[in-house]
Amino acid sequence: MNKKYSRLLKAAAKFIISGIALYLVFSKISFNEIFRLIGNAHYKFLLIAILLFLFSKIIAALRLNQFFNHTNIIINEYTNLKLYWLGMFYNLFLPGGISGDGYKIYLINKQLKTGIKPVFRAILIDRLVGLLALAVLASIIFSVAEQIIPYQKLSLLLSIILIVGFWGFLKLFFKKYLEIYLMVFIYSLTVQLLQLICAFFILKALNYNDHLLTYLFLFLISSIISILPVTIGGIGAREITFLTGAQYLSLSPDISIALSLSFYLITVVVSAVGLIWVINPFKIKNTVNFSKVQL
């Protein structure tokens, strides 16, 4: 099967999985109630949530550039920011055809002749550090959530194991990134904390103030699940995680789905900015002669 048809099949599969997930979610809750909640939201809190999400993505772009710099792909911060936003746009609006990360790898390799492997390696570790911060924050929030959940207090130990374990992973396979591990992990924690506060303000916008820590824990778990490349920009995966978690933790399914969809809409709004650089392509300049770099 050629690559074109393979991409089409993957895109179709993602649409189908997202569609099935959303059908399962909305067959168990009131569609009208969800949109009533979102429609009556306090917009000043939603604006704060949008700004927090925007800042989180700027910091995420700065983190990625640390990995690029450490791979001798020296891109100025403004160009890197445009590249990052372009990737966000492709991730959300062109699912299946080409991912945002895939396009960044293609564009950097095409313009800088870096080779695919070093760029792929930098983006992969960037993603993994982001996932690590999500898991660590989730374990911390889990330990103090209002609901009584089995093994709740042991989750703090899990966060320490994850941090040390990832350090060991880098030492074994990606030693060159060890010296920036602490810095990029702090970047990652900042990104996820900003998005967590973003979720908090969405709940405030929905005029909901009960069991906030448990909702935030569920938000982090849904963020981890939505990273899996099986749906359209995480839509469907996030919602079904929220619904299942809400049922297990005795939370409001309507508030859970309203939080999930509101966050997705904020992601759409912010990611749409990347269209600017689809219409107006830009050049990437690297001050390092890549042919002389030992990788």
Side-chain angles (χ1 to χ4, degrees):
M1 184 183 297
N2 64 43
K3 290 183 179 180
K4 179 181 178 181
Y5 289 114
S6 176
R7 288 197 300 267
L8 287 173
L9 282 175
K10 287 179 182 178
K14 288 184 178 183
F15 274 107
I16 292 169
I17 293 171
S18 285
I20 291 172
L22 289 174
Y23 171 77
L24 291 173
V25 168
F26 284 107
S27 66
K28 296 184 178 181
I29 61 172
S30 169
F31 192 85
N32 291 334
E33 176 63 14
I34 298 304
F35 279 88
R36 185 193 69 78
L37 284 168
I38 295 175
N40 292 333
H42 298 288
Y43 291 103
K44 63 179 180 180
F45 289 130
L46 286 180
L47 178 60
I48 294 171
I50 291 172
L51 291 174
L52 286 165
F53 183 78
L54 177 65
F55 291 145
S56 79
K57 288 301 179 181
I58 291 172
I59 294 171
L62 294 175
R63 180 190 68 199
L64 177 58
N65 211 22
Q66 292 298 320
F67 284 105
F68 284 156
N69 290 344
H70 216 67
T71 315
N72 292 307
I73 304 170
I74 312 299
I75 303 173
N76 72 64
E77 293 296 359
Y78 180 56
T79 301
N80 176 64
L81 199 60
K82 291 190 286 186
L83 185 65
Y84 194 88
W85 241 264
L86 191 61
M88 286 172 58
F89 177 84
Y90 276 110
N91 267 335
L92 207 60
F93 294 98
L94 294 177
I98 183 166
S99 72
D101 289 341
Y103 190 73
K104 280 183 278 192
I105 292 169
Y106 162 78
L107 197 61
I108 291 173
N109 181 48
K110 180 184 178 183
Q111 295 194 19
L112 303 183
K113 310 301 181 187
T114 58
I116 290 174
K117 284 185 179 180
V119 189
F120 172 79
R121 190 183 302 127
I123 290 175
L124 172 65
I125 304 301
D126 174 76
R127 284 284 186 169
L128 290 177
V129 171
L131 183 59
L132 171 66
L134 267 174
V136 168
L137 269 183
S139 66
I140 293 171
I141 297 294
F142 180 77
S143 71
V144 294
E146 297 92 344
Q147 267 81 338
I148 298 175
I149 307 168
Y151 309 110
Q152 203 165 354
K153 299 305 177 185
L154 291 176
S155 62
L156 286 177
L157 178 61
L158 175 62
S159 64
I160 296 171
I161 292 171
L162 288 171
I163 293 169
V164 175
F166 196 81
W167 179 89
F169 167 75
L170 289 180
K171 187 171 179 63
L172 282 173
F173 301 106
F174 301 97
K175 275 187 178 179
K176 69 184 302 177
Y177 296 121
L178 273 178
E179 60 190 71
I180 61 169
Y181 176 38
L182 178 60
M183 177 178 59
V184 294
F185 180 63
I186 290 171
Y187 271 119
S188 295
L189 280 178
T190 305
V191 169
Q192 302 308 335
L193 275 171
L194 285 171
Q195 293 193 14
L196 199 63
I197 301 170
C198 168
F200 169 80
F201 274 101
I202 292 173
L203 287 169
K204 295 290 287 183
L206 297 173
N207 199 30
Y208 198 81
N209 298 293
D210 296 329
H211 307 301
L212 292 178
L213 287 175
T214 309
Y215 278 103
L216 293 178
F217 165 70
L218 197 51
F219 170 79
L220 290 168
I221 295 300
S222 72
S223 296
I224 293 171
I225 298 297
S226 68
I227 291 172
L228 299 175
V230 295
T231 59
I232 306 299
I235 189 73
R238 190 184 293 274
E239 285 68 33
I240 204 161
T241 303
F242 260 107
L243 181 63
T244 304
Q247 291 170 341
Y248 179 74
L249 298 171
S250 301
L251 301 175
S252 166
D254 290 340
I255 292 294
S256 297
I257 301 305
L259 168 58
S260 177
L261 288 179
S262 297
F263 185 79
Y264 179 76
L265 291 173
I266 287 172
T267 305
V268 169
V269 169
V270 173
S271 299
V273 175
L275 179 62
I276 295 170
W277 296 294
V278 175
I279 297 170
N280 298 301
F282 56 90
K283 293 291 184 182
I284 305 170
K285 293 182 180 179
N286 184 8
T287 59
V288 173
N289 185 343
F290 216 84
S291 64
K292 297 180 180 178
V293 174
Q294 298 297 316
L295 300 173

